[in-house]
Amino acid sequence: MKKKLIRVTTIPNSLGKLLTGQLHYMSNYYDVIGVSSGGSALEDVRKQEGVPVMAVELTRKITPIKDVKSVYGLYKIFKKEKPFIVHSHTPKAGTAAMLAAKLAGVPHRLHTIAGLPLLEATGTKRTILNLVEKITYACATKIYPNSFGLQDIIIKEKFTRKDKLKVIGKGSSNGIDTNHFNPDLYTAADNLKLRTELGFAPEDIVFTFVGRLVADKGINELILAFKKLAAIKKNVKLLLVGTFETELDPLNKASLDYIYNNDTVLGIGWQEDVRPYFAISDALTFPSYREGFPNVVMQAGAMKLYSIVTDINGCNEIIQEGVNGTIIPVKDAEALYAKMLQFYDHKEELYNPNTCRAIMVKNYERSYIWEQLHQEYISLEK
């Protein structure tokens, strides 16, 4: 008889997209249940992963009354289902699930850390978030930072004991499917057609960002750097793939004005499949302030793109300086501009596209991450 495994995230998109295929894989060995906020997206997870799902309303913001209800809702599920393992992802789900699992007497309470939003907070807000983080870790039996840099930060901040921490494999929460993220799936004709549809000329150098278009992803610095580059190089384009979050983390007015009023920048919103846009791009620009282990950088590498990233955990583990990309200081628009200019002037000399892909295949193939996590689960049974 299989042991029961419950996976919990704040929103269904995290279960279905960030952890694509993982619940289905684990269902070969465990009775898996997915838990997240409800709606049609959660039903999509059920169909995609082939596992039962349950809805508990969870919010990304600090909402004390709703949060207490969330903990109680999770507690009831855990008491009824009696799982061997509860494994949570994302900050709010982690706090609620670990507390509820401890109250319910779940023997193995696991939480994956894929980033620490609190690192950008200050004052009272930072104090509160630090306390919440410590409560989450105290309730968990094991914490899995998804990068070695993130593990170092957790130890430095004294959120928990070192022996509670472990990085699965070489990092990442789910790895990537390198057969799926493969530029050979797209012909030169495919790429030319899409470039033409987007208004890009064949000779344009296209810098691309994929992710949320928010301040802490470094978009304000990216716009400043690109604006300076576009002033001296006429055949450059900036492709922005993602959505704005005007309530949580808006861009400044100057950035928004430039995005909306300049034909060298193209925002195409959220895309279900980002591969065609990587295929027509020349380089990834990813100047984020904080990450866990960014899928975008792995995906771009598998698609043979050179990546310009900031010196933060995750990014500085995936990118090897001068091999598959380059690393710049955080919040440094001038450094970003200099590296974009260098790429423009010396693209052919900077890197080998095949090497970019080979590093991703070797270190971050999805099946490798899944098996490493499965082995971790097995170790709990001993």
Side-chain angles (χ1 to χ4, degrees), residues 1 12 26 37 48 60 78 105 128 145 154 164 172 182 187 203 227 248 255 262 273 286-287 291 293-294 328 332:
M1 186 175 179
M26 292 302 172
S37 298
Q48 172 187 298
R60 291 170 65 186
F78 300 157
I128 293 171
I154 291 168
K164 250 190 181 183
S172 174
N182 186 345
T187 66
E203 66 273 14
K227 184 177 181 180
L248 292 174
S255 294
N262 198 292
D273 188 355
F286 197 74
E291 292 292 329
F293 209 90
I328 62 170
D332 192 334

mmCIF file of all heavy atoms in Angstrom, residues 1 12 26 37 48 60 78 105 128 145 154 164 172 182 187 203 227 248 255 262 273 286-287 291 293-294 328 332:
data_model
loop_
_atom_site.group_PDB
_atom_site.id
_atom_site.type_symbol
_atom_site.label_atom_id
_atom_site.label_comp_id
_atom_site.label_asym_id
_atom_site.label_seq_id
_atom_site.Cartn_x
_atom_site.Cartn_y
_atom_site.Cartn_z
ATOM 1 N N MET A 1 0.852 -1.203 0.000
ATOM 2 C CA MET A 1 0.000 0.000 0.000
ATOM 3 C C MET A 1 0.881 1.244 0.000
ATOM 4 O O MET A 1 1.805 1.363 0.784
ATOM 5 C CB MET A 1 -0.913 0.007 1.223
ATOM 6 C CG MET A 1 -1.913 1.140 1.230
ATOM 7 S SD MET A 1 -3.046 1.008 2.639
ATOM 8 C CE MET A 1 -4.042 2.483 2.359
ATOM 9 N N PRO A 12 -2.733 27.520 -7.795
ATOM 10 C CA PRO A 12 -2.644 26.335 -8.649
ATOM 11 C C PRO A 12 -1.543 26.423 -9.703
ATOM 12 O O PRO A 12 -0.974 25.402 -10.094
ATOM 13 C CB PRO A 12 -4.027 26.272 -9.304
ATOM 14 C CG PRO A 12 -4.928 27.002 -8.379
ATOM 15 C CD PRO A 12 -4.085 28.101 -7.785
ATOM 16 N N MET A 26 5.590 11.406 -8.968
ATOM 17 C CA MET A 26 5.562 10.885 -7.606
ATOM 18 C C MET A 26 4.375 9.959 -7.368
ATOM 19 O O MET A 26 4.402 9.122 -6.462
ATOM 20 C CB MET A 26 5.540 12.035 -6.598
ATOM 21 C CG MET A 26 6.831 12.847 -6.546
ATOM 22 S SD MET A 26 8.280 11.826 -6.154
ATOM 23 C CE MET A 26 9.590 13.042 -6.411
ATOM 24 N N SER A 37 -5.216 26.971 -3.822
ATOM 25 C CA SER A 37 -6.442 27.747 -3.968
ATOM 26 C C SER A 37 -7.280 27.147 -5.095
ATOM 27 O O SER A 37 -6.750 26.556 -6.033
ATOM 28 C CB SER A 37 -6.115 29.213 -4.268
ATOM 29 O OG SER A 37 -5.401 29.792 -3.200
ATOM 30 N N GLN A 48 -4.009 17.512 -15.692
ATOM 31 C CA GLN A 48 -2.631 17.453 -16.190
ATOM 32 C C GLN A 48 -1.797 16.404 -15.454
ATOM 33 O O GLN A 48 -1.059 15.630 -16.073
ATOM 34 C CB GLN A 48 -1.970 18.829 -16.028
ATOM 35 C CG GLN A 48 -0.473 18.862 -16.332
ATOM 36 C CD GLN A 48 0.127 20.202 -15.984
ATOM 37 O OE1 GLN A 48 -0.235 21.227 -16.547
ATOM 38 N NE2 GLN A 48 1.076 20.212 -15.040
ATOM 39 N N ARG A 60 -1.634 35.540 -1.295
ATOM 40 C CA ARG A 60 -0.206 35.878 -1.327
ATOM 41 C C ARG A 60 0.118 37.029 -0.382
ATOM 42 O O ARG A 60 1.256 37.220 0.006
ATOM 43 C CB ARG A 60 0.208 36.224 -2.764
ATOM 44 C CG ARG A 60 0.184 35.016 -3.704
ATOM 45 C CD ARG A 60 0.365 35.412 -5.143
ATOM 46 N NE ARG A 60 1.678 35.982 -5.392
ATOM 47 C CZ ARG A 60 2.043 36.523 -6.551
ATOM 48 N NH1 ARG A 60 1.192 36.574 -7.557
ATOM 49 N NH2 ARG A 60 3.255 37.024 -6.697
ATOM 50 N N PHE A 78 -5.467 17.426 6.574
ATOM 51 C CA PHE A 78 -4.383 16.563 7.057
ATOM 52 C C PHE A 78 -4.877 15.551 8.098
ATOM 53 O O PHE A 78 -4.438 14.399 8.117
ATOM 54 C CB PHE A 78 -3.253 17.413 7.642
ATOM 55 C CG PHE A 78 -2.626 18.372 6.659
ATOM 56 C CD1 PHE A 78 -1.955 19.507 7.113
ATOM 57 C CD2 PHE A 78 -2.712 18.164 5.288
ATOM 58 C CE1 PHE A 78 -1.371 20.397 6.219
ATOM 59 C CE2 PHE A 78 -2.134 19.059 4.384
ATOM 60 C CZ PHE A 78 -1.469 20.176 4.852
ATOM 61 N N GLY A 105 -0.176 16.495 13.422
ATOM 62 C CA GLY A 105 0.672 15.357 13.741
ATOM 63 C C GLY A 105 1.253 14.638 12.537
ATOM 64 O O GLY A 105 1.589 13.446 12.618
ATOM 65 N N ILE A 128 8.554 41.314 10.955
ATOM 66 C CA ILE A 128 7.403 40.404 10.927
ATOM 67 C C ILE A 128 7.675 39.218 9.999
ATOM 68 O O ILE A 128 7.429 38.061 10.352
ATOM 69 C CB ILE A 128 6.127 41.154 10.491
ATOM 70 C CG1 ILE A 128 5.727 42.183 11.550
ATOM 71 C CG2 ILE A 128 4.981 40.172 10.235
ATOM 72 C CD1 ILE A 128 4.613 43.112 11.123
ATOM 73 N N PRO A 145 16.154 24.443 0.537
ATOM 74 C CA PRO A 145 16.440 25.597 -0.316
ATOM 75 C C PRO A 145 16.712 25.079 -1.731
ATOM 76 O O PRO A 145 17.347 24.029 -1.896
ATOM 77 C CB PRO A 145 17.715 26.196 0.295
ATOM 78 C CG PRO A 145 17.879 25.528 1.625
ATOM 79 C CD PRO A 145 17.214 24.196 1.520
ATOM 80 N N ILE A 154 19.946 31.509 4.425
ATOM 81 C CA ILE A 154 19.125 31.000 5.534
ATOM 82 C C ILE A 154 19.982 30.766 6.775
ATOM 83 O O ILE A 154 19.583 31.098 7.900
ATOM 84 C CB ILE A 154 18.409 29.704 5.108
ATOM 85 C CG1 ILE A 154 17.347 30.019 4.055
ATOM 86 C CG2 ILE A 154 17.765 29.013 6.315
ATOM 87 C CD1 ILE A 154 16.779 28.798 3.360
ATOM 88 N N LYS A 164 18.884 20.979 9.373
ATOM 89 C CA LYS A 164 17.526 20.863 8.836
ATOM 90 C C LYS A 164 17.481 21.153 7.339
ATOM 91 O O LYS A 164 16.456 20.962 6.691
ATOM 92 C CB LYS A 164 16.595 21.858 9.548
ATOM 93 C CG LYS A 164 15.576 21.221 10.465
ATOM 94 C CD LYS A 164 14.556 22.265 10.905
ATOM 95 C CE LYS A 164 13.545 21.619 11.864
ATOM 96 N NZ LYS A 164 12.499 22.579 12.265
ATOM 97 N N SER A 172 17.412 23.837 -7.948
ATOM 98 C CA SER A 172 16.156 23.907 -8.700
ATOM 99 C C SER A 172 15.076 23.110 -8.002
ATOM 100 O O SER A 172 15.337 22.089 -7.359
ATOM 101 C CB SER A 172 16.311 23.414 -10.146
ATOM 102 O OG SER A 172 15.059 23.373 -10.804
ATOM 103 N N ASN A 182 14.211 23.047 -26.522
ATOM 104 C CA ASN A 182 15.230 22.666 -27.496
ATOM 105 C C ASN A 182 15.068 23.530 -28.741
ATOM 106 O O ASN A 182 14.027 23.448 -29.413
ATOM 107 C CB ASN A 182 15.081 21.184 -27.846
ATOM 108 C CG ASN A 182 16.194 20.682 -28.741
ATOM 109 O OD1 ASN A 182 16.944 21.449 -29.337
ATOM 110 N ND2 ASN A 182 16.309 19.369 -28.851
ATOM 111 N N THR A 187 12.514 25.855 -36.830
ATOM 112 C CA THR A 187 13.309 26.042 -38.042
ATOM 113 C C THR A 187 13.640 27.516 -38.242
ATOM 114 O O THR A 187 13.023 28.401 -37.629
ATOM 115 C CB THR A 187 12.553 25.533 -39.277
ATOM 116 O OG1 THR A 187 11.390 26.374 -39.478
ATOM 117 C CG2 THR A 187 12.108 24.090 -39.090
ATOM 118 N N GLU A 203 18.163 41.254 -39.005
ATOM 119 C CA GLU A 203 19.449 41.707 -38.463
ATOM 120 C C GLU A 203 19.347 42.308 -37.061
ATOM 121 O O GLU A 203 20.361 42.635 -36.422
ATOM 122 C CB GLU A 203 20.081 42.744 -39.397
ATOM 123 C CG GLU A 203 19.330 44.066 -39.514
ATOM 124 C CD GLU A 203 18.241 44.053 -40.572
ATOM 125 O OE1 GLU A 203 17.867 42.945 -41.037
ATOM 126 O OE2 GLU A 203 17.750 45.141 -40.931
ATOM 127 N N LYS A 227 17.635 51.680 -22.922
ATOM 128 C CA LYS A 227 17.449 53.026 -23.480
ATOM 129 C C LYS A 227 18.786 53.619 -23.911
ATOM 130 O O LYS A 227 18.901 54.217 -24.992
ATOM 131 C CB LYS A 227 16.778 53.927 -22.437
ATOM 132 C CG LYS A 227 16.446 55.319 -22.921
ATOM 133 C CD LYS A 227 15.724 56.097 -21.823
ATOM 134 C CE LYS A 227 15.355 57.498 -22.306
ATOM 135 N NZ LYS A 227 14.651 58.275 -21.248
ATOM 136 N N LEU A 248 1.214 45.018 -6.413
ATOM 137 C CA LEU A 248 2.244 44.465 -5.536
ATOM 138 C C LEU A 248 3.607 45.130 -5.695
ATOM 139 O O LEU A 248 4.298 45.386 -4.718
ATOM 140 C CB LEU A 248 2.374 42.954 -5.777
ATOM 141 C CG LEU A 248 1.191 42.094 -5.344
ATOM 142 C CD1 LEU A 248 1.406 40.648 -5.768
ATOM 143 C CD2 LEU A 248 1.000 42.165 -3.832
ATOM 144 N N SER A 255 9.910 54.179 -16.577
ATOM 145 C CA SER A 255 10.004 52.874 -17.240
ATOM 146 C C SER A 255 8.735 52.582 -18.028
ATOM 147 O O SER A 255 8.791 52.146 -19.188
ATOM 148 C CB SER A 255 10.245 51.769 -16.217
ATOM 149 O OG SER A 255 11.499 51.905 -15.602
ATOM 150 N N ASN A 262 7.767 53.531 -26.974
ATOM 151 C CA ASN A 262 8.967 53.370 -27.786
ATOM 152 C C ASN A 262 8.863 52.094 -28.600
ATOM 153 O O ASN A 262 8.632 51.015 -28.054
ATOM 154 C CB ASN A 262 10.201 53.329 -26.870
ATOM 155 C CG ASN A 262 11.467 53.604 -27.631
ATOM 156 O OD1 ASN A 262 11.883 52.805 -28.454
ATOM 157 N ND2 ASN A 262 12.066 54.759 -27.376
ATOM 158 N N ASP A 273 3.490 29.445 -23.888
ATOM 159 C CA ASP A 273 4.689 28.767 -24.383
ATOM 160 C C ASP A 273 5.730 29.825 -24.743
ATOM 161 O O ASP A 273 5.558 30.580 -25.705
ATOM 162 C CB ASP A 273 4.344 27.920 -25.608
ATOM 163 C CG ASP A 273 5.493 27.036 -26.061
ATOM 164 O OD1 ASP A 273 6.600 27.135 -25.481
ATOM 165 O OD2 ASP A 273 5.294 26.240 -27.004
ATOM 166 N N PHE A 286 18.355 39.246 -17.460
ATOM 167 C CA PHE A 286 17.594 38.860 -16.268
ATOM 168 C C PHE A 286 18.209 39.520 -15.035
ATOM 169 O O PHE A 286 18.914 38.879 -14.256
ATOM 170 C CB PHE A 286 17.601 37.336 -16.139
ATOM 171 C CG PHE A 286 16.541 36.795 -15.221
ATOM 172 C CD1 PHE A 286 15.216 36.766 -15.608
ATOM 173 C CD2 PHE A 286 16.879 36.319 -13.963
ATOM 174 C CE1 PHE A 286 14.233 36.267 -14.760
ATOM 175 C CE2 PHE A 286 15.909 35.825 -13.109
ATOM 176 C CZ PHE A 286 14.580 35.803 -13.502
ATOM 177 N N PRO A 287 17.930 40.832 -14.845
ATOM 178 C CA PRO A 287 18.579 41.593 -13.764
ATOM 179 C C PRO A 287 17.809 41.593 -12.445
ATOM 180 O O PRO A 287 17.664 42.628 -11.780
ATOM 181 C CB PRO A 287 18.638 42.999 -14.363
ATOM 182 C CG PRO A 287 17.400 43.087 -15.211
ATOM 183 C CD PRO A 287 17.157 41.702 -15.746
ATOM 184 N N GLU A 291 16.149 35.719 -6.277
ATOM 185 C CA GLU A 291 15.547 34.537 -6.870
ATOM 186 C C GLU A 291 15.798 33.349 -5.952
ATOM 187 O O GLU A 291 16.641 33.415 -5.050
ATOM 188 C CB GLU A 291 16.152 34.231 -8.257
ATOM 189 C CG GLU A 291 15.839 35.234 -9.334
ATOM 190 C CD GLU A 291 14.376 35.255 -9.743
ATOM 191 O OE1 GLU A 291 13.715 34.192 -9.680
ATOM 192 O OE2 GLU A 291 13.882 36.334 -10.123
ATOM 193 N N PHE A 293 15.746 29.695 -7.607
ATOM 194 C CA PHE A 293 16.517 29.057 -8.672
ATOM 195 C C PHE A 293 15.713 29.257 -9.948
ATOM 196 O O PHE A 293 14.814 28.476 -10.251
ATOM 197 C CB PHE A 293 16.719 27.568 -8.365
ATOM 198 C CG PHE A 293 17.978 27.023 -8.942
ATOM 199 C CD1 PHE A 293 19.160 27.050 -8.222
ATOM 200 C CD2 PHE A 293 17.993 26.487 -10.218
ATOM 201 C CE1 PHE A 293 20.338 26.542 -8.759
ATOM 202 C CE2 PHE A 293 19.151 25.977 -10.759
ATOM 203 C CZ PHE A 293 20.331 26.002 -10.028
ATOM 204 N N PRO A 294 15.985 30.308 -10.687
ATOM 205 C CA PRO A 294 15.085 30.754 -11.759
ATOM 206 C C PRO A 294 14.986 29.799 -12.945
ATOM 207 O O PRO A 294 15.979 29.502 -13.613
ATOM 208 C CB PRO A 294 15.686 32.100 -12.185
ATOM 209 C CG PRO A 294 17.123 32.010 -11.786
ATOM 210 C CD PRO A 294 17.144 31.192 -10.529
ATOM 211 N N ILE A 328 26.418 40.293 -13.332
ATOM 212 C CA ILE A 328 26.601 41.703 -13.001
ATOM 213 C C ILE A 328 26.079 41.987 -11.592
ATOM 214 O O ILE A 328 25.302 41.207 -11.045
ATOM 215 C CB ILE A 328 25.867 42.611 -14.011
ATOM 216 C CG1 ILE A 328 24.350 42.349 -13.968
ATOM 217 C CG2 ILE A 328 26.424 42.431 -15.426
ATOM 218 C CD1 ILE A 328 23.520 43.351 -14.733
ATOM 219 N N ASP A 332 22.337 47.574 -10.877
ATOM 220 C CA ASP A 332 23.401 48.350 -11.527
ATOM 221 C C ASP A 332 23.094 48.473 -13.018
ATOM 222 O O ASP A 332 23.511 47.633 -13.831
ATOM 223 C CB ASP A 332 24.747 47.669 -11.296
ATOM 224 C CG ASP A 332 25.928 48.553 -11.687
ATOM 225 O OD1 ASP A 332 25.753 49.435 -12.549
ATOM 226 O OD2 ASP A 332 27.024 48.337 -11.138
#
